[in-house]
Amino acid sequence: DGRRTVVFGEGNPSAPVMFIGEAPGAEEDLQGRPFVGPAGMLLTKMIQALKLPREQIYIANTVKCRPPNNRPPQPDELAACRRYLDAQLALIRPRVICALGRTAANALLRTEQPLGALRGRPHTVNDIPVIVTFHPAHLLRHPEAKRDAWADLQRLFPYLS
Ligand code: URA
């Protein structure tokens, strides 16, 4: 309810790495593009630091419409959007996925484990390896976690060579 634009996802359809966030925010809802607000700017910096140009990756969210007031997506909303996410995974077949934050990781991996239990070890979804790290919005509030996020992101590289 109340969303302006469907934020489907964007990027290279042959991307070797796909980043998956939670849900569009206010700026994403206006522009129809994922991760273009403040958290998106940090995500862009993180991706640049990895020397992965934004054009070479694909970015999507677990739900395609902004939840009212940025509340976390509800189970029925996640279920409604899952078929689109699974289709994106099937079409792009990235070599590795980076799940951004607990909500994205829990939805993607169909688990309720906290982020601390999911970071630092590999997972799979639809036979694609998944690396879990902090959501960039969390890193904006807790810059001290950036060091750990950087270590998480290094785990993408073995899948990319
Ligand atoms: N946060 C998300 O999880 N996704 C976006 O697209 C923007 C902010």
Side-chain angles (χ1 to χ4, degrees):
D1 284 348
R3 67 105 171 105
R4 290 180 203 221
T5 325
V6 176
V7 183
F8 179 72
E10 71 176 20
N12 187 334
S14 312
V17 51
M18 188 161 163
F19 288 81
I20 301 181
E22 178 178 325
E27 193 59 34
E28 290 77 18
D29 183 51
L30 283 176
Q31 292 193 34
R33 300 177 57 209
F35 282 102
V36 288
M41 283 178 211
L42 180 56
L43 179 63
T44 303
K45 277 197 209 162
M46 289 158 64
I47 291 166
Q48 279 168 350
L50 290 169
K51 308 254 186 289
L52 295 170
R54 230 182 117 133
E55 303 74 48
Q56 277 184 28
I57 60 167
Y58 195 92
I59 305 179
N61 284 301
T62 53
V63 296
K64 310 306 184 193
C65 295
R66 181 191 182 200
N69 302 317
N70 292 352
R71 61 152 171 72
Q74 292 174 348
D76 61 327
E77 296 163 343
L78 289 162
C81 289
R82 182 65 188 227
R83 75 191 90 158
Y84 299 106
L85 184 60
D86 281 334
Q88 286 172 309
L89 295 179
L91 287 167
I92 296 164
R93 295 282 335 150
R95 291 193 201 169
V96 62
I97 293 168
C98 183
L100 299 166
R102 181 178 180 176
T103 306
N106 281 180
L108 195 64
L109 302 172
R110 300 188 192 281
T111 176
E112 302 210 332
Q113 288 184 284
L115 197 74
L118 297 170
R119 287 183 48 241
R121 61 192 177 90
H123 308 271
T124 54
V125 65
N126 305 358
D127 295 325
I128 303 166
V130 178
I131 301 295
V132 175
T133 192
F134 298 99
H135 193 286
H138 174 88
L139 297 175
L140 288 175
R141 292 190 302 270
H142 300 277
E144 69 280 3
K146 284 185 184 176
R147 179 187 292 265
D148 286 341
W150 183 244
D152 294 336
L153 294 174
Q154 302 302 311
R155 294 176 176 270
L156 297 170
F157 282 114
Y159 300 98
L160 301 178
S161 52

